[in-house]
Amino acid sequence: MFVKVFMFAICMLATSFTWAAGGEVKSPTGVAPDRYVYYPGTEELVKDEIRLIACGTGLPAARRDQAATCWLAEVGNGDKFLFDVGTGSMANVAALMIPYDFLDKVFLTHLHTDHWGDFATLWAGGWTAGRTKPLRVWGPTGQTPDMGTAYAIEHFLKAFNWDAKTRDFVLSAKPGQISVKEFDYKAVNAVVYQENDVTISSIPAIHAGDGPVSFILEYAGLKVVIGGDTFPNRWYIEHATGADVAIHETFLTPTDLVKFYGQSPAQAIGVGTQIHTSPPAFGKVMSTIKPRLAIGYHFFNEQSTHDHILQGVRSTYSGPLSLAVDDMVWNITKDRIVERMIVSPDQAWGVNGPNKPPAPPAPGTVPDPISDFIKAGRWQPAEEAQAPMVNEFKKDNKLQ
Ligand SMILES: [Zn+2]
Ligand SMILES: [Zn+2]
C-alpha cells in the first residue's frame, strides 16, 4: 500500500506534534534525510519506546483502502500485541513482515466482525507461515456465557473443524491451538495481562450490547489507550486521563451515514450518536482527558467525509489530533510522538522467526482425511507429467 497524496494532507494537520521535517539535501547525488515514511523491519525499537500501527481503521463493509479495526502495538522489550483483527486487516499486518511467532497475542475489544473478522486469517495463515506455538487470546465475558469470548473461540474452532483436521494431518497441531483468557467485561481498570514490564487493563464500553471493553496498555511510563466501539463513557474519561496516546472511535456523521451508507435517518441517528461516538462527542472526550495525542478512527476516511469529521471534532477539541487511515504509524517516547506513513510491499511473504517449526505428526497418529475412494480418482498422466520434476527435487533434497 503506497502513500497517497491526500493522506499527506491528513498527516500535515498533525504536524504540530510530529517531527517529520524535510531536512536538507546536501548534494545532487545525496539522499533526503527524512522521507516521512516507515519501511517495516528497518528500525530497531529503543527500550523505552512504543511503535503503534494502524492495521485497520474502517467499517464492517469491506473496502480495499481501509480494513476494519486492528491496532498493533510493538513495545521496546520486543513484545507485540494485536488489539482486534477486523475484516481485511491481516493483509496490512502481513505486509509488516513480522514473523508470526511474534504475533501470538490478541486482545479483542468485542466480537463484532469488524473487530475479529480476520481472526481466521491470523489463525490459519500464521499456522501455515511459521507460527510455532498456540495463539493466545484475551477477551471479555458477556451477560451470558454464549455472549463471551471463550464461547466464541470454542465455536470458531468447531466452525473451522475441517480446516483444522486437514492441517493436523500434515502440520503440527500445536500452532493451530488457541488459549483463551476471558475476563469480566464489567471490571473497571482491572489488569488482564502483566508480563515483562507490560501491563494491559480493561474498562467497560457502552456499545450495541453488554460485553465490549477498551484496553489500556502501560509500558516504560507510557500509556496508550486502545478504545473499542463505545459511546463516550465515564470509565474512559477517568482512566484515559493522562494518556500519552488516546485512541477512540469517532463515527460518521448521521448525515453521511444516510448519504453514503444507505441508512435511514432513524437508523443513522441511533448508530451515529447512541452506540458509537459522534465527532463533537469525540472532541469533548479529548478536550476533557487532554492526551498528548488523540487518534480518531472507525470511519471511511475520504475527501467527502474527512472535513465533516474534522469540523465536528474541532467544534469541541483543539489539541493534537490524528484522523487515522490504514498504515499510519506512531513512534511514542517520553520526549516525542512521531507520525508517519508505512511504505510496504503488496506482495510480502511470511518471514521465519528464530524458532524451529514443530515436527509434523508421525505417520498413523492422525486420521487420514482423504478416503481410498477419493485417492482412487487420481489421474495417472498428471503423475507421469510431473515425475521428472518430483524426482529431481527428491534427489536434490535427499527425500525418499
Ligand atoms: Zn462494534
Ligand atoms: Zn466496530
Side-chain angles (χ1 to χ4, degrees), residues 123-185:
W123 171 70
W127 191 359
T128 63
R131 190 175 61 245
T132 67
K133 51 196 173 185
L135 272 180
R136 302 169 71 191
V137 177
W138 289 258
T141 54
Q143 273 192 318
T144 50
D146 65 311
M147 298 293 268
T149 306
Y151 178 95
I153 297 295
E154 181 192 339
H155 289 78
F156 167 91
L157 286 170
K158 285 182 182 169
F160 288 100
N161 183 53
W162 193 91
D163 187 306
K165 289 270 168 70
T166 52
R167 290 187 208 287
D168 282 351
F169 184 64
V170 288
L171 298 169
S172 163
K174 199 172 153 198
Q177 293 162 359
I178 304 170
S179 79
V180 190
K181 290 217 169 90
E182 196 178 70
F183 56 85
D184 181 5
Y185 74 94

Side-chain angles (χ1 to χ4, degrees), residues 280-330:
F282 169 93
K284 185 67 183 170
V285 168
M286 293 305 167
S287 60
T288 305
I289 68 166
K290 296 183 173 58
R292 285 172 65 202
L293 171 64
I295 300 177
Y297 79 107
H298 213 313
F299 64 97
F300 283 152
N301 194 337
E302 60 183 47
Q303 209 98 44
S304 54
T305 60
H306 179 268
D307 287 0
H308 303 155
I309 300 278
L310 186 65
Q311 280 164 11
V313 172
R314 285 306 186 206
S315 70
T316 50
Y317 174 64
S318 58
L321 172 69
S322 302
L323 294 178
V325 291
D326 290 11
D327 284 335
M328 266 188 179
V329 54
W330 298 265

Side-chain angles (χ1 to χ4, degrees), residues 110 114-115 229 298:
H110 67 299
D114 56 316
H115 295 258
D229 290 4
H298 213 313

